[in-house]
Amino acid sequence: MEPGRRTLWSCAEIIARRPAPRSADRRTLMAAAVLASASLLTTAALPQQAASIAGENIAELQQHFLAPPPDARPMVRWWWFGAAVEKPEILRELQKMKADGIGGAELAFVYPEVLDDPTRSLQNLPFLSPAMLNAVTYAQAEGRKLGLRIDVTLCSGWPYGGPNTPLDEAAGRLLTYEVEVPPHAEIVPWPTLNTGETLISTSIVDGTPKHWNLSSAQEYIYFTIVGVLPPQRTGIAPSDHPRVVLFFIASHTKQQVKRAAVGAEGYVLDPFSHDAVATHLKAVGEPLVNAFGATPPYAIFSDSLEAYGADWTPTLPAEFLKRRGYDLIPHLPELVAGGTPEAEKVRHDWGKTLTELVDQNYLTQINDWAIAHHTRFRSQTYGEPAVTFSSQNLAGLAEGEGPQWRSFSTLRWATSANHVFGHNVSSGETFTWLHSPVFRATPLDMKVEADIDFIMGENQLIFHGWPYSAPDGKVPEPGWSLYAAASFNNHNPWHPVMPAVTAYITRISWLLRQGEPANQVAILLPTDDAWASFSPGKVTVTGAMQKLVPPELMSAILSAGYNVDFIDADAIDKVGLGTHQILVIPPTDRIPVETLDKIAAWEKSGGKVIAIGKLPTFTPKGTPLHDAGGDTSAIILVPDETKFTQALHDAVTPDLSLAYTDEAARNSIGFIRRKLPDADIYYVVNTSNDTVGAGVIFATAFKHGEQWSPETGLPVADVTPNGPMPLELAPYESAVYIFSKTPKPRSVSDCQCPKLKTLTDLSSDWHVAFTSTGKSVTEHTLADWIADTDTLHYSGEAIYSRDFTLAAVPITPVFLEVDGGTALPGSPNSPPEHETIGPNGLPNPLITHPGPGMHAYYDPPIREAALVTINGQPAGALWHPPYRLDVSSLLKRGQNHIEIHVYNTALNAWSALPPHDYKPLIAKYGDRFQMQDLNQVTPLPSGILGVIHLVTQQETK
């Protein structure tokens, strides 16, 4: 270790421990090590805390942080492939989830992984068959016995739909056929209508296909030709210039349910149609929920809305007339063409009507159905079709996904809605695409994404996910897995460290449910502009926000020391701006006058309003604001992002200010604050792969503070918010700060900490035993497993052991430390996920491009995680920087014995296997999935590759 390299960790780090039983075997000892580090052994004695316990004192807060209640534990999406499941394996996996510190599972039924094989007792149970539903009944009953929460996806694959969705209830789309009419032509050939299509209207315009004059549009009044029946050909009065007849047709996307299980194939339903959704609830929802018997699922689930191109429904013309007050049909040329103020108004009104229909017929209907069935509706309310920010409040549980911290993210979209509408728990689909290919993700990768999700407001992680896999021996290792996800089951070699990871996640999840959200800034989402930007086949509000809320705006707010929520006009009109102190209006054209009035009243009560680039100038209908009585005089106009940071600082002091540092640190340190009546909670994260240092100023009114360890739940140091406080965080390190009005009895040191010094070097002369093969070696110098051909393809556990002698045990804290990590090029901000859309407006089901999943850009000194014992007692887990454990109380004078149990990934062993032949599966069931990045299934560096030593504090006078 470089002397003086760090200051924070020279403070006393107290690790919670429990002695393992004397007769404990190795597996029991390792489990005890993890649970000791996790400090979760006492949770059974505590009541579950579903809501914030904001009124408790700091001692009670710290007690629950030390041992959080089970309902804060992460969940997993539990994929049933086929569904080829067996009850003994269902029970074994549920028991393993429980042992791993996982709080529950969401049943998700997806594509088959195997052909039926009676010789191996492998059978795909068709979706909703009695055998499949019996398996659901068994899983939920056994899960409940174990105290696990069980949710169920109310379909197979996604989006909703399947064999019970007929074509007339399938997702609809507006098609426009352009038929060229040359000069002097007198006959117009009609397009052939496909099954389920109907003609809405026809128009005629001057010009040629794709290049016609919107202003010339008029209704095409055709006449029949003697002996020719429509719709083959019709007559038209000749003209001396070229024209185009536009045929507007109500069609269907014919999108198929993605990743469907056996027997669940079919059309995606029409989300704008009450009848289509009701059919699905009766045919699919009723059997699934009935399978839960007298104990309904905790929640039913709807995945992200991916009804691509869905922009029409049979009732749309009538609903548009009723809701907007004019007939849409004559304005279809404007809807299709765009490009004029009149066309933007039509598109706006069309988009708003689509939103109202999906709100009423999909979200509200399903939520009401869930309540009637004594459960909750958990919904990822984003994507296509046109749901808005406020649509999320129509579901009982709003969920998001996407670790795009410094740009628009549907995770922040969901957490903001929960903040704005007063819902304390914000769940998120977490680890989608994490470090592809499957089984590549590590505990450090998990921490990197989880921490970013936490500072965006997520406090209920739903791992993506846990693949059900056939019992041992029936299929080759590493078993079954989803094409686009990490795998967190026990087929992962580093799985013994999972309890330490879930304990960390549980602790932070619980803490971030306490008190109230305290984000200072709200961004007003320009929903009316999003509607006006719609076009046929592109009706996504969240998609539009990728451009309307630019990453530069998000980044400027975060780097200035604020955290941020989204909000929309409907939310402001209904619930106001809450405790937000600054409202930021990105470049916006349209805003409702009523919303402006609410904003003006909020500004008079002390709020600050800042617009970037320009002020809004129109009402949603396109009327100039000044003509409609709109007043923007209270809004501070900032010409561009260069002046924005100063405007924010002039408005309100930021919650977290950094001094004595550079721009890289400002862009890397993130935080979230929760406010209790008598305390402030700050969770601070280094999102980068470098050590960062700064002076930090917390904008808390409280005078007394402590730093708590996210690992152990125990106090680390006393801190004071007066003036810049030294802050130094290792790569991807996080810290918790609690400020209150009452000082606690001093039990820990303050941050005036001495430096660390090396007590003894332990980097040589290790005995290494590879558990699965029986191979053992003595390493005078630590070596990479893949450097030896015997262990090139080894995946699993290796036990590093050696003895060392101490002449005396220091009175100052002693740490086991593994140094040597290296930063790699890369960014902590994952790009958003986008499907590649084909000419038909739908994604190609035969092509899956690699996803945008993030990972740690760091080459760690331990590949990939380890559990440590000293003198037979558990010391804890090493799985992220800083790789350091307090071992003070485990040491003794004289000879000591240390064991480090190291685990790598499954890729090394997997890389030795021949490629899996999916051709028989495709021949039977079609090409339902494409495994990702299999070319990257190669041996990875493994083992301990850093410098191991004991360090202690230098004595000071």
Side-chain angles (χ1 to χ4, degrees), residues 182-202:
H184 312 296
E186 299 181 10
I187 296 175
V188 177
W190 279 47
T192 300
L193 298 184
N194 297 314
T195 302
E197 293 182 338
T198 58
L199 180 67
I200 302 170
S201 68
T202 56

Side-chain angles (χ1 to χ4, degrees), residues 651-670:
V652 175
T653 301
D655 257 340
L656 188 145
S657 301
L658 297 177
Y660 320 131
T661 192
D662 56 18
E663 194 65 21
R666 298 181 196 281
N667 295 339
S668 300
I669 293 178

Side-chain angles (χ1 to χ4, degrees), residues 757-813:
K757 67 176 181 179
T758 298
L759 181 64
T760 184
D761 192 320
L762 300 176
S763 298
S764 59
D765 300 325
W766 287 88
H767 178 266
V768 183
F770 293 87
T771 307
S772 299
T773 65
K775 176 183 173 67
S776 63
V777 297
T778 298
E779 293 187 354
H780 299 292
T781 302
L782 294 169
D784 191 335
W785 300 356
I786 66 173
D788 184 341
T789 55
D790 288 345
T791 52
L792 172 64
H793 295 290
Y794 182 83
S795 291
E797 176 190 58
I799 304 173
Y800 291 67
S801 61
R802 61 159 288 173
D803 295 331
F804 62 94
T805 301
L806 293 178
V809 178
I811 61 173
T812 53

Side-chain angles (χ1 to χ4, degrees), residues 553-577:
L553 174 62
M554 292 292 301
S555 193
I557 294 170
L558 296 170
S559 295
Y562 304 88
N563 210 334
V564 59
D565 286 322
F566 300 137
I567 197 167
D568 69 358
D570 284 345
I572 291 176
D573 292 346
K574 291 175 183 176
V575 299
L577 281 151

Side-chain angles (χ1 to χ4, degrees), residues 8-306:
L8 274 184
W9 276 97
S10 59
C11 301
E13 174 69 19
I14 305 169
I15 306 295
R17 304 181 190 84
R18 285 180 178 237
R22 292 180 183 272
S23 60
D25 61 14
R26 182 179 59 79
R27 289 183 178 273
T28 303
L29 190 62
M30 289 299 96
V34 175
L35 288 171
S37 176
S39 301
L40 284 177
L41 292 177
T42 60
T43 56
L46 294 172
Q48 291 198 17
Q49 302 289 332
S52 165
I53 47 177
E56 68 179 354
N57 61 38
I58 298 302
E60 292 172 324
L61 187 76
Q62 200 272 321
Q63 177 192 359
H64 285 92
F65 185 62
L66 178 66
D71 69 336
R73 292 173 180 167
M75 293 180 58
V76 293
R77 181 166 296 173
W78 191 15
W79 294 295
W80 287 14
F81 297 98
V85 295
E86 305 172 41
K87 288 182 179 178
E89 179 63 19
I90 288 174
L91 177 59
R92 191 197 69 80
E93 295 193 13
L94 286 167
Q95 291 170 335
K96 194 61 187 171
M97 293 176 197
K98 175 74 171 182
D100 286 349
I102 289 168
E106 167 206 309
L107 302 182
F109 316 104
V110 291
Y111 54 80
E113 285 262 17
V114 69
L115 296 175
D116 291 352
D117 185 349
T119 64
R120 292 184 292 165
S121 300
L122 294 173
Q123 180 185 1
N124 290 293
L125 308 177
F127 186 61
L128 300 183
S129 65
M132 180 264 191
L133 292 173
N134 182 260
V136 171
T137 300
Y138 178 80
Q140 69 86 24
E142 295 302 321
R144 295 298 179 94
K145 291 177 186 177
L146 292 166
L148 299 176
R149 164 181 163 179
I150 304 295
D151 291 6
V152 64
T153 306
L154 217 62
C155 65
S156 170
W158 67 93
Y160 283 8
N164 296 291
T165 298
L167 182 60
D168 62 349
E169 292 184 353
R173 71 188 310 178
L174 173 66
L175 288 185
T176 303
Y177 284 98
E178 300 182 354
V179 176
E180 186 172 10
V181 182
H184 312 296
E186 299 181 10
I187 296 175
V188 177
W190 279 47
T192 300
L193 298 184
N194 297 314
T195 302
E197 293 182 338
T198 58
L199 180 67
I200 302 170
S201 68
T202 56
S203 296
I204 187 167
V205 291
D206 294 338
T208 58
K210 307 299 182 186
H211 302 284
W212 40 271
N213 182 1
L214 175 61
S215 64
S216 66
Q218 56 184 303
E219 182 182 3
Y220 167 45
I221 303 176
Y222 60 86
F223 56 87
T224 59
I225 302 173
V226 176
V228 178
L229 297 175
Q232 296 174 0
R233 291 179 296 169
T234 54
I236 188 171
S239 173
D240 59 0
H241 57 270
R243 292 172 296 171
V244 177
V245 174
L246 307 175
F247 292 86
F248 300 106
I249 295 169
S251 183
H252 298 91
T253 69
K254 296 188 178 179
Q255 181 185 352
Q256 298 290 299
V257 171
K258 300 168 66 174
R259 322 304 178 192
V262 173
E265 307 85 355
Y267 295 124
V268 171
L269 63 74
D270 179 355
F272 306 114
S273 166
H274 177 277
D275 291 348
V277 176
T279 296
H280 182 83
L281 292 174
K282 181 176 179 59
V284 178
E286 294 285 352
L288 283 173
V289 171
N290 288 343
F292 281 71
T295 54
Y298 182 90
I300 59 171
F301 177 60
S302 170
D303 211 328
S304 53
L305 300 176
E306 297 178 28

Side-chain angles (χ1 to χ4, degrees), residues 385-722:
V387 288
T388 65
F389 176 87
S390 285
S391 299
Q392 297 178 94
N393 200 38
L394 300 175
L397 303 169
E399 179 168 296
E401 65 177 303
Q404 293 80 39
W405 170 44
R406 301 181 77 85
S407 60
F408 179 83
S409 165
T410 55
L411 176 58
R412 193 183 296 274
W413 166 272
T415 61
S416 298
N418 288 320
H419 292 166
V420 167
F421 293 114
H423 307 304
N424 193 44
V425 176
S426 289
S427 63
E429 176 186 308
T430 312
F431 309 133
T432 309
W433 299 102
L434 182 71
H435 211 163
S436 184
V438 65
F439 289 108
R440 175 62 182 88
T442 68
L444 176 57
D445 293 324
M446 295 177 70
K447 185 179 191 300
V448 169
E449 178 167 339
D451 284 349
I452 285 179
D453 292 348
F454 284 141
I455 59 178
M456 286 199 288
E458 184 178 342
N459 55 23
Q460 173 65 71
L461 273 64
I462 299 181
F463 292 1
H464 193 275
W466 183 294
Y468 172 97
S469 194
D472 290 347
K474 290 193 176 185
V475 297
E477 285 295 317
W480 296 337
S481 57
L482 195 77
Y483 71 101
S487 292
F488 301 117
N489 61 20
N490 67 309
H491 292 266
N492 226 320
W494 55 258
H495 194 261
V497 183
M498 181 63 83
V501 180
T502 59
Y504 171 85
I505 288 171
T506 299
R507 183 168 287 116
I508 301 304
S509 297
W510 179 84
L511 186 69
L512 297 183
R513 298 180 187 183
Q514 305 317 302
E516 301 292 336
N519 291 347
Q520 293 174 288
V521 176
I523 295 177
L524 179 57
L525 299 175
T527 304
D528 290 288
D529 286 358
W531 282 328
S533 73
F534 281 6
S535 62
K538 297 179 180 179
V539 292
T540 164
V541 172
T542 50
M545 292 303 162
Q546 303 286 348
K547 295 181 179 179
L548 295 172
V549 182
E552 297 79 13
L553 174 62
M554 292 292 301
S555 193
I557 294 170
L558 296 170
S559 295
Y562 304 88
N563 210 334
V564 59
D565 286 322
F566 300 137
I567 197 167
D568 69 358
D570 284 345
I572 291 176
D573 292 346
K574 291 175 183 176
V575 299
L577 281 151
T579 60
H580 294 101
Q581 298 170 276
I582 303 173
L583 178 67
V584 172
I585 303 177
T588 299
D589 292 322
R590 298 164 187 81
I591 190 170
V593 173
E594 313 87 82
T595 305
L596 265 183
D597 292 343
K598 291 286 182 70
I599 292 171
W602 176 76
E603 188 271 339
K604 289 181 180 178
S605 67
K608 304 295 183 181
V609 189
I610 302 174
I612 307 295
K614 62 180 180 180
L615 295 171
T617 52
F618 297 103
T619 70
K621 294 182 178 297
T623 305
L625 271 178
H626 60 81
D627 292 344
D631 182 7
T632 60
S633 61
I635 301 174
I636 302 167
L637 178 62
V638 177
D640 53 49
E641 281 82 2
T642 62
K643 307 289 186 181
F644 183 44
T645 298
Q646 189 59 52
L648 289 170
H649 287 167
D650 289 344
V652 175
T653 301
D655 257 340
L656 188 145
S657 301
L658 297 177
Y660 320 131
T661 192
D662 56 18
E663 194 65 21
R666 298 181 196 281
N667 295 339
S668 300
I669 293 178
F671 77 98
I672 190 167
R673 177 189 176 204
R674 300 282 296 189
K675 187 170 183 59
L676 284 74
D678 299 316
D680 281 334
I681 298 169
Y682 283 84
Y683 178 66
V684 182
V685 172
N686 176 11
T687 68
S688 80
N689 55 6
D690 285 317
T691 298
V692 296
V696 61
I697 303 170
F698 296 98
T700 178
F702 300 108
K703 303 301 182 184
H704 306 282
E706 286 186 321
Q707 180 187 344
W708 292 356
S709 167
E711 301 295 333
T712 68
L714 292 169
V716 174
D718 290 332
V719 296
T720 57
N722 300 327

